[in-house]
Amino acid sequence: MGAEANKCEQTALVAQAEAERAALTRHRWVILAASCVVNLCVGSLYAWSVFADPMAAHLAALSGGEPENLSIVFTMTSLLCPLTMIAGGAVNDRVGPRWVVLAGGVLFGCGLIASSFADSVPFIIVSYGVCLGLGDGLAYGATLSNAVKLFPDRPGLAGGVITASYGISSVIVPFVAQGLIAAFSVTQCFLILGICMLVIMVGASLLIGGCPAGFAPVGWKPQRQPDGGGRGVNKDWRAMLRSPVFYVMFAMLVCGSFSGLMIISQASPVAQGVAGLDAAGAAAVVSALALANTLGRIVSGSLSDRLGITNTLRAVAIGLAVGMGALSISTPATVPLFCTGICLVGFCFGSVMGVYPGFAALQFGREHNSVNYGIMFIAFAVAGVAGPQIMAALLDQTGSYQAAFLVAACLAALFLVLTFVYRLINDARRARRRRRWLVAAKHPRRTLYVMRSVKTR
């Protein structure tokens, strides 16, 4: 009777576990939707260019001086975002994404509200630069890593949708902000947006649940993939930093995001200087670039689940090289070529950002991806600093953008080469592991000796 009771109890536990897994398999789409709403809010961080001039004029009117350059505000947010992704990732692994997203939403919304009371440059640096930078890194990192964990069967799609919702915010929010500034003032705009986003993000965070360790959706079984570490691989950040593959992937991300960040930072001046467009035409190009960026995140993220991440990134590298090459030969007489090239760059840049969260999880495992991807994201910050500065320096030296375009095209070619280096390293490591397993299976008594001898060769 005791054995029969234990068997019945085990059967009931298995049935309960399967029911919970089925429920989470369905509910994960709600979590993904709530995560997209959160990222639509925090992505408004990149609408700072809309606020910069009106806020500078407002502060100058209060102080009685001349408007100051407020670029330091956005620089502060850019520096803090990767750092809080790492710190927030460590907290996320312990307490779950809901509380990290909630904290990020409160910081982000309260930072906007506080910005409406700013009366000096240091005040706006703290309220917008620090608070929004901290909130952005917490919310973006937590929602992104959690979505990739919840969709091990579709990591590219999950990462692409999350990053796309983040990117499309920079298209939507500027129009809303411009309307509010025109109707009220820049300070009232901060207050209205802050209250709305605080309510929305806090509400959405309550719908976000964590992913249990080892979660596998109903009907899906983990499989070893040619693009990454495969089944059973879960490395923490220390093991990741000891892996040569990490540094190849880091360099790939720098090269892959360099072109997009360089162009996005100066899209309007580039359109006017290279293609000879007026302000209205340049604004249309900026909108097209943002839409191509968003589309690339969804399309390539989804394609990577079918074609493989390495193959997708190779196509993206070729696209970046072709796009930068088209820009380098563009003139005011070849506006269609210019528009094609800049949209191709935007699409490929978005593709890199959409694919990479799933790429990192596939290579180093889902368990520690919150911290691991935060560290990997430092490459994005490196490219974000290097790209615009190199373009500005070459523009001062040569008087044109062509030299910067050619540098970016060369980095895109290096990106393509690095995809083959990555694959060679991965294949070699996998072959060594397989060799050890085969020898150990054939000579079980000599397992330790064989493994040591193979390892030292």
Side-chain angles (χ1 to χ4, degrees), residues 24-36 151 204 207-208:
L24 184 56
T25 300
R26 294 189 300 269
H27 186 65
R28 62 181 180 158
W29 294 99
V30 176
I31 296 175
L32 182 63
S35 300
C36 289
F151 288 85
L207 298 175
I208 296 175

Side-chain angles (χ1 to χ4, degrees), residues 186-274:
V186 65
T187 55
Q188 291 297 309
C189 177
F190 277 136
L191 182 62
I192 294 170
L193 287 178
I195 293 173
C196 292
M197 290 187 180
L198 178 62
V199 173
I200 292 171
M201 292 179 69
V202 168
S205 68
L206 300 179
L207 298 175
I208 296 175
C211 179
F215 169 71
V218 175
W220 178 79
K221 294 181 179 180
Q223 297 178 352
R224 187 173 296 280
Q225 301 291 335
D227 294 314
R231 182 174 51 199
V233 174
N234 275 301
K235 294 184 177 182
D236 61 12
W237 66 272
R238 297 178 184 84
M240 180 182 73
L241 293 179
R242 289 195 298 266
S243 172
V245 175
F246 166 77
Y247 299 97
V248 176
M249 293 174 63
F250 189 94
M252 287 168 60
L253 183 53
V254 172
C255 294
S257 55
F258 180 92
S259 300
L261 291 171
M262 183 181 74
I263 294 296
I264 289 172
S265 67
Q266 297 292 326
S268 181
V270 167
Q272 296 178 55
V274 175

Side-chain angles (χ1 to χ4, degrees), residues 390-450:
I390 290 175
M391 172 180 271
L394 292 175
L395 179 63
D396 289 341
Q397 291 180 4
T398 65
S400 70
Y401 292 102
Q402 273 66 27
F405 295 158
L406 291 176
V407 169
C410 291
L411 286 176
L414 177 59
F415 180 24
L416 178 61
V417 172
L418 288 172
T419 62
F420 289 96
V421 175
Y422 162 80
R423 193 61 177 268
L424 287 173
I425 294 175
N426 243 10
D427 289 346
R429 296 182 66 187
R430 194 164 290 153
R432 287 196 298 270
R433 287 197 299 266
R434 180 171 176 80
R435 182 182 176 190
R436 294 174 193 172
W437 182 85
L438 290 174
V439 174
K442 188 175 181 181
H443 305 283
R445 295 183 180 181
R446 297 166 53 203
T447 299
L448 292 177
Y449 169 77
V450 171

Side-chain angles (χ1 to χ4, degrees), residues 5-346:
N6 289 335
K7 184 176 180 181
C8 291
E9 184 179 353
Q10 291 177 359
T11 303
L13 290 175
V14 170
Q16 181 181 357
E18 285 299 313
E20 292 175 353
R21 186 162 73 107
L24 184 56
T25 300
R26 294 189 300 269
H27 186 65
R28 62 181 180 158
W29 294 99
V30 176
I31 296 175
L32 182 63
S35 300
C36 289
V37 171
V38 170
N39 280 280
L40 278 172
C41 293
V42 296
S44 63
L45 178 79
Y46 288 90
W48 170 248
S49 59
V50 176
F51 303 119
D53 290 342
M55 197 63 197
H58 170 72
L59 296 178
L62 291 178
S63 64
E66 292 294 322
E68 296 186 42
N69 188 339
L70 298 181
S71 60
I72 182 62
V73 177
F74 188 73
T75 300
M76 182 65 68
T77 63
S78 300
L79 291 174
L80 287 175
C81 185
L83 297 179
T84 50
M85 282 182 67
I86 299 171
V91 178
N92 182 29
D93 291 338
R94 290 178 172 84
V95 304
R98 175 176 298 165
W99 304 111
V100 177
V101 175
L102 178 62
V106 170
L107 274 170
F108 197 91
C110 291
L112 283 172
I113 294 171
S115 296
S116 67
F117 299 99
D119 56 4
S120 64
V121 174
F123 194 123
I124 195 68
I125 290 175
V126 174
S127 62
Y128 195 102
V130 175
C131 290
L132 268 68
L134 292 173
D136 181 271
L138 291 173
Y140 177 70
T143 53
L144 183 59
S145 63
N146 190 55
V148 171
K149 291 177 182 178
L150 284 169
F151 288 85
D153 51 337
R154 301 175 182 177
L157 175 64
V161 170
I162 290 290
T163 56
S165 62
Y166 186 88
I168 197 65
S169 179
S170 62
V171 180
I172 298 173
V173 173
F175 289 102
V176 177
Q178 286 172 348
L180 290 173
I181 292 172
F184 302 101
S185 67
V186 65
T187 55
Q188 291 297 309
C189 177
F190 277 136
L191 182 62
I192 294 170
L193 287 178
I195 293 173
C196 292
M197 290 187 180
L198 178 62
V199 173
I200 292 171
M201 292 179 69
V202 168
S205 68
L206 300 179
L207 298 175
I208 296 175
C211 179
F215 169 71
V218 175
W220 178 79
K221 294 181 179 180
Q223 297 178 352
R224 187 173 296 280
Q225 301 291 335
D227 294 314
R231 182 174 51 199
V233 174
N234 275 301
K235 294 184 177 182
D236 61 12
W237 66 272
R238 297 178 184 84
M240 180 182 73
L241 293 179
R242 289 195 298 266
S243 172
V245 175
F246 166 77
Y247 299 97
V248 176
M249 293 174 63
F250 189 94
M252 287 168 60
L253 183 53
V254 172
C255 294
S257 55
F258 180 92
S259 300
L261 291 171
M262 183 181 74
I263 294 296
I264 289 172
S265 67
Q266 297 292 326
S268 181
V270 167
Q272 296 178 55
V274 175
L277 299 176
D278 57 15
V285 168
V286 172
S287 297
L289 174 64
L291 290 174
N293 177 10
T294 303
L295 185 63
R297 297 173 187 236
I298 300 175
V299 173
S300 295
S302 181
L303 283 178
S304 67
D305 294 330
R306 300 181 181 182
L307 304 179
I309 293 178
T310 306
N311 292 332
T312 303
L313 289 178
R314 286 173 184 167
V316 166
I318 294 172
L320 283 172
V322 171
M324 297 311 301
L327 292 179
S328 68
I329 60 174
S330 295
T331 65
T334 58
V335 174
L337 178 64
F338 173 82
C339 293
T340 301
I342 201 168
C343 287
L344 183 58
V345 170

